[in-house]
Amino acid sequence: MKVSTVDTEVNPKRIVGGPSVPKLPAASRLPGRDHELALLSGLFATARCGRAASAILVGEFGMGKTAVLTTAADLAREAGFTVALATGARLETHLSGGVAAQLVEDLTHVPAGAGAQSPRPREPHITERLPQKAPETEYEQADALAAFYRTIRAAAERGPLFLGVDNVDAADAWSRRCLAYIRHRIAYLPVLVVLTSVLGHKPNRDVALLEMAGCTPAAIRLNGLGTAAVARLLGTGDERLAAACREVTGGNPYLLGSLRTRLLTGTDPALVGAAGIGQVLCGRVQEIPTAPELIRAVALLGED
């Protein structure tokens, strides 16, 4: 899939002002992501006018997809949206409906009131309840999908709705089917769907990314931060140090965060490592059958 910003009637690229769309402060809420947040907040007006909009955030691991999604969700709340968020996880892909259930929980649980320490759940209506196990018969599947749609529609009828799914590439198959099911049915509802996915993930044979987001989403690729944003993230005024750290990490916010805690005066960023980064990378390469052997071979060859 070619990733670029798409300008359509459903997903306008222009940034809409006015009281319904919160303005980003001069000092961005997220260093180096002003443009991406402006694109997402620009979709609020479309949803508020009763037309569904969608966006896909893609990027390498650690590029800040989660941070951009949650910040956009905060902006949506300020604009009067009801927000429901869910996160896919590799170890939960076998839990049918796990991601869909997270969205339903956000939409069917209400706070206990001012000063409450924990939310008080309201009992979901029988038509909103998702099955405890994966539907097997055609009737069970249709009933479960309809229940999920009714929950989304009921929330959208009360006001604009922001649905965010982080790591949708790691979502369980049934939840992906639920998202694909509602895509056509919410076309004329005030709903904004924002999905994040790691760049280069293996396509799912059952439900494709565009089947969940639609054929004309605002597709945003998160690249590495620039030197100025790196300096702000590291909290340094030394441009040479910021440039060196950017070169070493590619501007990856996660890698920069790991690097920041180990930077001492006079330290060469190219010689600094972090155990946490190694653990994450080991976990990632295990998903690719031949990757560990390839990495060992490259390590044995050396830098030359």
Side-chain angles (χ1 to χ4, degrees):
M1 179 184 72
K2 181 180 180 180
V3 180
S4 59
T5 302
V6 181
D7 186 11
T8 69
E9 293 182 0
V10 178
N11 296 287
K13 181 179 178 180
R14 67 181 185 280
I15 308 306
V16 182
S20 63
V21 179
K23 300 290 188 180
L24 292 173
S28 173
R29 305 182 186 211
L30 207 56
R33 298 306 186 199
D34 292 9
H35 178 66
E36 291 82 358
L37 291 172
L39 287 173
L40 291 173
S41 61
L43 300 176
F44 294 174
T46 300
R48 292 178 68 91
C49 290
R51 293 289 299 273
S54 61
I56 299 174
L57 294 172
V58 298
E60 292 285 353
F61 171 83
M63 280 298 177
K65 298 181 294 297
T66 300
V68 173
L69 175 63
T70 54
T71 303
D74 290 339
L75 292 172
R77 287 191 187 94
E78 295 176 16
F81 281 66
T82 297
V83 174
L85 297 175
T87 302
R90 184 176 62 86
L91 297 180
E92 297 180 8
T93 54
H94 66 291
L95 301 178
S96 297
V99 167
Q102 291 178 54
L103 296 174
V104 170
E105 184 176 3
D106 268 6
L107 296 175
T108 57
H109 286 59
V110 294
Q117 297 300 314
S118 61
R120 180 186 68 243
R122 76 168 171 83
E123 185 67 18
H125 189 270
I126 189 171
T127 60
E128 298 174 331
R129 294 174 182 166
L130 296 180
Q132 297 299 314
K133 62 179 182 178
E136 297 179 356
T137 68
E138 183 178 346
Y139 173 79
E140 290 175 343
Q141 293 180 24
D143 192 52
L145 291 169
F148 180 71
Y149 167 63
R150 280 192 292 267
T151 303
I152 303 301
R153 183 183 64 188
E157 288 175 347
R158 294 191 294 268
L161 179 61
F162 181 103
L163 297 178
V165 180
D166 196 18
N167 300 328
V168 73
D169 54 293
D172 59 280
W174 181 249
S175 292
R176 289 195 296 264
R177 186 168 291 278
C178 286
L179 292 170
Y181 179 81
I182 67 171
R183 181 171 64 86
H184 296 294
R185 292 165 175 79
I186 63 173
Y188 295 98
L189 291 175
V191 180
L192 173 58
V193 178
V194 181
L195 310 175
T196 79
S197 175
V198 67
L199 190 64
H201 76 93
K202 293 185 292 186
N204 183 270
R205 296 180 180 179
D206 185 36
V207 182
L209 187 58
L210 290 182
E211 289 179 305
M212 294 180 281
C215 295
T216 57
I220 303 171
R221 176 169 176 170
L222 298 181
N223 296 310
L225 299 178
T227 302
V230 169
R232 289 178 54 196
L233 188 63
L234 295 177
T236 179
D238 188 337
E239 293 186 4
R240 294 180 61 184
L241 176 63
C245 291
R246 181 183 185 278
E247 181 179 359
V248 168
T249 63
N252 185 301
Y254 178 83
L255 299 183
L256 285 165
S258 299
L259 185 64
R260 177 175 53 186
T261 61
R262 304 177 65 84
L263 281 178
L264 301 175
T265 303
T267 300
D268 183 355
L271 302 178
V272 176
I277 296 175
Q279 293 172 1
V280 170
L281 293 177
C282 284
R284 291 189 67 197
V285 300
Q286 294 302 323
E287 301 178 16
I288 307 172
T290 59
E293 290 75 12
L294 178 61
I295 291 175
R296 292 190 189 97
V298 173
L300 290 173
L301 288 173
E303 293 184 3
D304 294 336

